[in-house]
């Protein structure tokens, strides 16, 4: 999806199908408004938030369908020619009810030829965000944030009942880590995890892994989108959050500690 038009052409039929199937809230992946790469740089199509065509069309759809929509992230014009990787929560009137700017930038080198430098064009955020919705309190992370458990812990301890991680996870890292990391975040926080992930080749180079997931607080995968674009649907019973936390109250049991580095040579009497 190298441009807004092709992103909308892909997203709108899926959104319509989800609503027809009875969905109350939709979750889209990272850079759902379009994604491409240029060498090591991530260079999605971007626009000012107030003039963003993908956002505007999704606001219209939310209003017409009377459905909440989480835009996992879109590229928004930021300062100094850079962009912001911004997740947006829309209510069922199309109004923006929350924003999350991705904190942790995807700067990695998988091999001599497969290198990504998100920070080359993207301004990092600095605030963790929980969206209050009629359905649940939803903690928002994006893609590479999945590897930073302290962020997830903070969201859960602040009252998030569902933790989301919209992503465009690479195929190579996805095959190795996607399922286990998502399950770990659900288990250690006793929360539902919803992680919509883009699928297929990225214009300019790279490939997204797919396997959009819904995971319950016990760490069980209750929905897996596999490798075919489509709608992944699940029903969530929030009572499972309290039930699981009562069984394993790790959030409440956590103790403060001091880290001490011991010189083995000096500690020998």
């Amino acid at each position: 999806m190298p441009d807004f038009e092709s992103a909308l052409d892909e997203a709108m039929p899926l959104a319509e199908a989800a609503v027809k199937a009875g969905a109350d809230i939709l979750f889209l992946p990272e850079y759902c408004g379009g994604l491409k790469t240029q060498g090591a740089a991530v260079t999605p199509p971007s626009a000012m938030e107030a003039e963003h065509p993908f956002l505007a069309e999704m606001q219209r759809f939310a209003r017409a369908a009377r459905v909440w929509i989480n835009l996992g992230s879109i590229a928004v014009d930021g300062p100094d020619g850079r962009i912001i990787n911004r997740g947006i929560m829309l209510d069922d009137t199309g109004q923006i009810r929350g924003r999350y700017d991705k904190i942790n930038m995807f700067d990695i080198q998988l091999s001599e030829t497969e290198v990504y430098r998100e920070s080359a064009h993207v301004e990092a955020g600095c605030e963790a965000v929980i969206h209050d919705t009629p359905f649940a309190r939803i903690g928002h992370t994006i893609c590479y944030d999945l590897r930073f458990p302290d962020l997830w812990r903070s969201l859960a301890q602040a009252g998030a009942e569902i933790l989301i991680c919209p992503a465009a996870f690479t195929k190579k890292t996805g095959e190795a880590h996607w399922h286990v990391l998502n399950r770990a975040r659900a288990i250690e926080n006793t929360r539902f995890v919803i992680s919509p992930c883009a699928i297929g080749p990225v214009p300019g180079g790279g490939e997204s892994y797919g396997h959009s997931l819904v995971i319950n607080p016990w760490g069980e995968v209750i929905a897996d989108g596999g490798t075919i674009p489509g709608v992944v649907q699940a029903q969530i019973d929030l009572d499972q959050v309290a039930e699981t936390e009562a069984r394993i109250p790790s959030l409440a049991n956590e103790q403060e500690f001091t880290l001490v580095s011991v010189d083995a040579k000096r500690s020998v009497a």
Side-chain angles (χ1 to χ4, degrees):
M1 304 180 295
D3 52 54
F4 296 132
E5 184 177 357
S6 59
L8 284 167
D9 286 344
E10 182 170 351
M12 293 310 298
L14 296 175
E16 291 167 358
V19 171
K20 187 175 181 180
D24 296 310
I25 181 169
L26 311 183
F27 295 90
L28 278 67
E30 179 186 29
Y31 287 131
C32 56
L35 176 61
K36 57 184 178 177
T37 59
Q38 184 176 357
V42 178
T43 57
S46 67
M48 296 293 291
E49 185 180 281
E51 303 168 358
H52 203 290
F54 189 90
L55 172 59
E57 186 61 20
M58 282 296 166
Q59 288 179 289
R60 183 205 64 77
F61 181 82
R63 184 166 54 250
R66 303 299 297 180
V67 64
W68 284 64
I69 302 176
N70 182 270
L71 302 182
S73 80
I74 56 176
V76 175
D77 289 347
D80 304 322
R82 295 158 72 82
I83 64 172
I84 299 167
N85 189 350
R86 175 168 292 170
I88 293 178
M89 180 68 79
L90 302 177
D91 68 15
D92 57 2
T93 70
Q95 296 298 307
I96 295 175
R97 295 292 291 269
R99 299 171 176 84
Y100 167 64
D101 296 345
K102 183 179 179 182
I103 293 172
N104 297 293
M105 295 291 97
F106 187 57
D107 290 351
I108 69 167
Q109 182 161 348
L110 296 176
S111 67
E112 290 185 4
T113 58
E114 193 169 0
V115 180
Y116 299 91
R117 293 287 181 266
E118 187 175 24
S119 65
H121 291 281
V122 182
E123 182 77 17
C126 60
E127 294 182 343
V129 171
I130 294 176
H131 303 294
D132 284 311
T133 77
F135 316 104
R137 302 195 74 209
I138 299 174
H140 200 148
T141 76
I142 297 174
C143 200
Y144 194 49
D145 286 333
L146 185 60
R147 297 183 183 273
F148 297 84
D150 284 355
L151 172 59
W152 291 65
R153 195 77 164 175
S154 295
L155 291 168
Q157 289 178 325
E161 300 159 297
I162 298 173
L163 302 170
I164 65 172
C165 188
F169 232 70
T170 70
K171 184 177 181 181
K172 181 177 291 187
T173 58
E175 290 173 342
H177 301 149
W178 176 247
H179 285 79
V180 69
L181 284 174
N182 274 282
R183 291 188 66 208
R185 298 295 88 85
I187 292 166
E188 65 199 9
N189 295 300
T190 59
R191 297 294 185 265
F192 279 96
V193 168
I194 299 176
S195 295
C197 186
I199 176 67
V202 177
E207 184 173 355
S208 296
Y209 180 58
H211 288 278
S212 297
L213 298 174
V214 182
I215 302 172
N216 70 19
W218 196 247
E220 298 168 327
V221 176
I222 59 177
D224 185 331
T227 58
I228 299 175
V231 176
V232 180
Q233 194 163 7
Q235 290 186 331
I236 287 178
D237 179 3
L238 286 181
D239 288 342
Q240 292 182 33
V241 174
E243 291 168 2
T244 306
E245 190 170 5
R247 295 169 70 185
I248 305 180
S250 57
L251 295 181
N253 289 346
E254 186 172 30
Q255 299 294 311
E256 295 184 0
F257 58 87
T258 300
L259 178 62
V260 178
S261 180
V262 178
D263 186 329
K265 294 180 180 178
R266 294 184 180 181
S267 65
V268 176

